[in-house]
Amino acid sequence: MSMSIRNQFPGTVTAVAVGEAMASVKVRLAGGQDITAAITTDAVKDLGLAAGSAVKALVKSTEVALATGPVEGISIRNQIAGTVADVTTGGAMGSVKVTVEGGELTAAITKDAVEALGLASGASVVALIKSTEVSLAAA
């Protein structure tokens, strides 16, 4: 199935913590990074998720924030280090492609943020993704 979601990462479920309505699913990506997805318990059941399940983690580019280094004192658990591969800006927005272990991700951020952070090819960045913005699909 073709999708408009640019960020699609293969991985394996390492842990599932199920609550009454929501679940926290930890996934080891093919590049070795660990991320967490907060999804409904119904989705866990429908997808048959358990430790060892092969999944694809999906994140819209508009849900990826960038920082110039690791961020402490923040509730965002998913922080993936990488290197800027390409920056394209328009009148108001920018698209930043980041090379990470095992692949590439795209962040859609404002042109002002691109300029303020000094983002250019070769710059080190950390992609920040809230666990509630990570969707999972059975692989």
Side-chain angles (χ1 to χ4, degrees):
M1 167 179 25
S2 295
M3 299 180 78
S4 65
I5 296 176
R6 298 295 84 193
N7 301 312
Q8 301 182 28
F9 307 102
T12 303
V13 173
T14 58
V16 180
V18 179
E20 191 171 313
M22 295 293 292
S24 175
V25 180
K26 294 190 184 301
V27 176
R28 169 78 38 93
L29 301 180
Q33 308 92 333
D34 292 313
I35 65 165
T36 300
I39 62 175
T40 65
T41 54
D42 286 343
V44 169
K45 291 175 193 169
D46 291 347
L47 294 171
L49 298 180
S53 297
V55 294
K56 189 175 279 190
L58 309 165
V59 181
K60 290 176 61 176
S61 60
T62 53
E63 301 303 333
V64 179
L66 296 176
T68 55
V71 180
E72 294 186 25
I74 190 169
S75 65
I76 297 174
R77 301 292 92 189
N78 299 316
Q79 298 192 30
I80 302 173
T83 304
V84 174
D86 186 49
V87 179
T88 305
T89 57
M93 295 296 294
S95 176
V96 182
K97 291 185 179 180
V98 179
T99 301
V100 299
E101 287 292 325
E104 184 175 86
L105 65 80
T106 300
I109 61 176
T110 64
K111 179 181 175 185
D112 290 344
V114 169
E115 293 170 356
L117 295 173
L119 299 180
S121 292
S124 293
V125 293
V126 175
L128 307 169
I129 307 165
K130 290 178 64 173
S131 59
T132 53
E133 302 305 329
V134 178
S135 297
L136 297 177

